[in-house]
């Protein structure tokens, strides 16, 4: 079984929303989870869910497949196929039809489907990805993060190892301008574009939404967030099943390349410059051997690793080049007779026929 370990460090504040994340003090909190340390202590730590990474990787891989299909066959991608490649499925409910032996073999050989799975019949994925967990004394102790790559950060106050969310988060206040007549800009400026009646209506609505007199809300709205500080180290791992092919490994490495190069997109508030990061290292482990795929120093990989990467990349490119629109779309098409257009039409016709027969029988009885 292959495993890829990725270490990174935040280079800006970062934040991940969740439902009802505003506390009694009206602070908007980042997502945390509970971790039990080796000695039984319970700690809350911030994290980014691994499912977000899977979605990000799937979209990168989907674009690789779609670029090839458009180039080789022209035209556009059908809507259902686009949705399937970008999100995993194009339908709300899985197809009730069983997987055929032919499809199982086809999935195993397909770089995209064999890696990500999904489709109309919810095919199995060939890899799993962990949450993006912070490198803290608690997460190392609990076994969530490998020890020895990143030193556990310490607090500046008493130089103890950081353990909980409180040690690596901070409060940030942002000002949301929603006053039409902002005195710090041009007080009369809005009235050149908006009627005075509309301005007054704006203040009336703002007051109603806030639940109090509008005069108390005609300046600025301040929002406080608890965010992950810049410079916090994080780690995540990708575990690849034994049956995964070289082409499929090549595709996940292609997705990782996009992640490394982008350096952004962790959590929300990206528009404010949050969620930026820098990858420290990417290491592939396979059968006891370690292959350094990337390090932030920009050092070239050794010849053995370079040869392995070329093998994966060539296999992926060859596999993608052999994909066809019809075959790829087939993974996302329903085969359950009740869910195909023809099947639904036949079912509706039978229903109408039954209803007509009942009505005729009732009329005859009368």
């Amino acid at each position: 079984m292959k495993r890829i370990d990725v270490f990174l460090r935040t280079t800006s504040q970062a934040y991940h929303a969740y439902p009802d994340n505003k506390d009694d003090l009206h602070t908007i909190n980042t997502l945390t989870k509970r971790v039990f340390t080796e000695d039984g202590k319970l700690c809350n730590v911030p994290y980014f869910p691994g499912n977000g990474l899977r979605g990000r990787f799937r979209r990168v891989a989907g674009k690789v497949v779609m670029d090839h299909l458009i180039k080789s066959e022209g035209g556009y991608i059908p809507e259902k196929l686009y949705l399937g490649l970008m999100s995993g499925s194009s339908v709300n409910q899985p197809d009730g039809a069983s997987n055929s032996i032919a499809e199982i073999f086809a999935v195993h050989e397909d770089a995209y489907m064999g890696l990500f799975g999904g489709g109309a019949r919810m095919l199995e994925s060939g890899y799993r990805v962990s949450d993006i967990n912070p490198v803290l004394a608690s997460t190392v102790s609990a076994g969530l993060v490998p020890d020895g790559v990143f030193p556990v950060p310490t607090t500046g106050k008493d130089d103890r190892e950081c353990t909980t969310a409180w040690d690596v988060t901070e409060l940030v206040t942002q000002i949301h301008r929603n006053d039409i007549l902002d005195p710090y800009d041009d007080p009369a400026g809005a009235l050149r574009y908006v009627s005075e009646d509309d301005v007054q209506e704006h203040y009336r609505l703002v007051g109603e939404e806030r639940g109090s007199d509008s005069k108390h809300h005609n300046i600025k709205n301040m929002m406080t967030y608890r965010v992950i500080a810049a410079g916090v180290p994080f780690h995540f791992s990708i575990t690849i099943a034994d049956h995964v092919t070289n082409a499929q490994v090549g595709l996940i490495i292609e997705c990782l390349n996009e992640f490394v190069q982008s350096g952004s997109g962790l959590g929300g508030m990206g528009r404010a410059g949050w969620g930026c990061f820098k990858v420290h290292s990417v290491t592939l482990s396979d059968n006891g051997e370690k292959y350094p795929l990337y390090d932030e120093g920009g050092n070239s990989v050794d010849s053995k690793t370079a040869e392995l990467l070329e093998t994966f990349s060539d296999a992926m490119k060859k596999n993608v080049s052999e994909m066809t629109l019809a075959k790829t779309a087939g993974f996302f098409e329903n085969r359950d007779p009740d869910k195909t257009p023809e099947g639904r039409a036949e079912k509706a016709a039978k229903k109408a026929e039954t209803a007509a027969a009942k009505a005729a029988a009732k009329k005859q009885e009368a």
Side-chain angles (χ1 to χ4, degrees), residues 18-30 166 171 224-226:
Y18 62 95
D20 301 322
N21 62 335
K22 187 178 287 188
D23 62 23
D24 293 339
L25 298 176
H26 302 288
T27 300
I28 303 171
N29 294 293
T30 192
W166 293 102
L171 294 178
T224 300
Y225 293 82
R226 178 163 291 281

Side-chain angles (χ1 to χ4, degrees), residues 27-350:
T27 300
I28 303 171
N29 294 293
T30 192
L31 184 65
T32 61
K33 65 181 177 182
R34 292 181 171 184
V35 170
F36 281 94
T37 62
E38 196 173 23
D39 56 0
K41 291 180 181 178
L42 178 62
C43 303
N44 276 352
V45 299
Y47 75 106
F48 300 95
N51 200 47
L53 274 178
R54 281 189 61 89
R56 180 172 183 156
F57 294 159
R58 183 186 284 278
R59 289 187 289 276
V60 172
K63 289 176 183 176
V64 170
V65 174
M66 289 188 293
D67 286 343
H68 159 70
L69 294 177
I70 289 176
K71 183 178 179 180
S72 63
E73 303 193 27
Y76 292 96
I77 299 294
E79 177 193 5
K80 282 189 175 182
L81 179 55
Y82 177 85
L83 289 172
L85 290 172
M86 298 299 275
S87 65
S89 178
S90 58
V91 293
N92 293 327
Q93 294 182 337
D95 187 358
S98 300
N99 292 324
S100 65
I101 298 298
E103 183 172 55
I104 292 173
F105 276 105
V107 166
H108 175 71
E109 297 298 327
D110 189 272
Y112 178 92
M113 293 302 299
L115 183 65
F116 292 98
R121 284 158 293 285
M122 298 302 292
L123 298 159
E124 185 180 4
S125 171
Y127 84 106
R128 65 177 183 266
V129 60
S130 73
D131 292 335
I132 307 178
N133 296 304
V135 181
L136 303 175
S138 54
T139 56
V140 172
S141 172
L144 269 67
V145 174
D147 192 11
V149 177
F150 255 139
V152 174
T154 57
T155 62
K157 206 173 206 181
D158 49 14
D159 204 34
R160 64 175 177 79
E161 288 187 330
C162 294
T163 303
T164 70
W166 293 102
D167 295 328
V168 292
T169 58
E170 60 180 337
L171 294 178
V172 174
T173 298
Q174 290 197 339
I175 298 174
H176 172 60
R177 289 185 167 185
N178 66 349
D179 183 17
I180 287 183
L181 304 180
D182 194 321
Y184 290 97
D185 291 322
D186 180 4
L191 294 176
R192 288 197 292 269
Y193 306 102
V194 183
S195 72
E196 189 169 349
D197 288 343
D198 284 345
V199 170
Q200 294 304 321
E201 178 67 7
H202 162 77
Y203 288 137
R204 186 187 68 78
L205 292 174
V206 168
E208 288 183 0
E209 288 173 1
R210 300 295 179 187
S212 60
D213 193 339
S214 63
K215 68 182 180 182
H216 297 298
H217 299 279
N218 62 359
I219 48 173
K220 299 174 184 68
N221 180 25
M222 301 180 73
M223 296 177 291
T224 300
Y225 293 82
R226 178 163 291 281
V227 301
I228 299 164
V232 177
F234 279 83
H235 163 269
F236 70 90
S237 64
I238 297 171
T239 306
I240 304 171
D242 288 332
H243 63 77
V244 166
T245 65
N246 285 347
Q248 291 155 6
V249 176
L251 189 55
I252 196 62
I253 290 176
E254 182 75 12
C255 298
L256 274 172
N257 286 337
E258 183 277 335
F259 181 82
V260 170
Q261 293 167 17
S262 75
S264 63
L266 281 185
M269 295 293 287
R271 64 186 182 277
W274 295 5
C276 296
F277 60 89
K278 185 175 183 181
V279 172
H280 169 73
S281 63
V282 181
T283 305
L284 169 67
S285 302
D286 184 20
N287 293 324
E289 295 281 341
K290 289 187 179 296
Y291 302 91
L293 305 184
Y294 173 84
D295 73 84
E296 65 179 340
N299 299 318
S300 300
V301 298
D302 58 59
S303 58
K304 189 176 181 180
T305 303
E307 184 178 345
L308 186 66
L309 285 173
E310 186 176 5
T311 299
F312 293 146
S313 180
D314 289 348
M316 183 270 291
K317 291 175 181 176
K318 182 176 184 299
N319 189 282
V320 171
S321 71
E322 295 171 351
M323 292 181 181
T324 65
L325 186 60
K327 185 176 179 181
T328 306
F331 295 122
F332 299 93
E333 292 174 354
N334 277 317
R335 294 177 184 168
D336 186 343
D338 291 337
K339 293 182 179 179
T340 62
E342 296 81 5
R344 286 195 296 268
E346 184 179 349
K347 191 174 181 179
K350 287 182 178 178

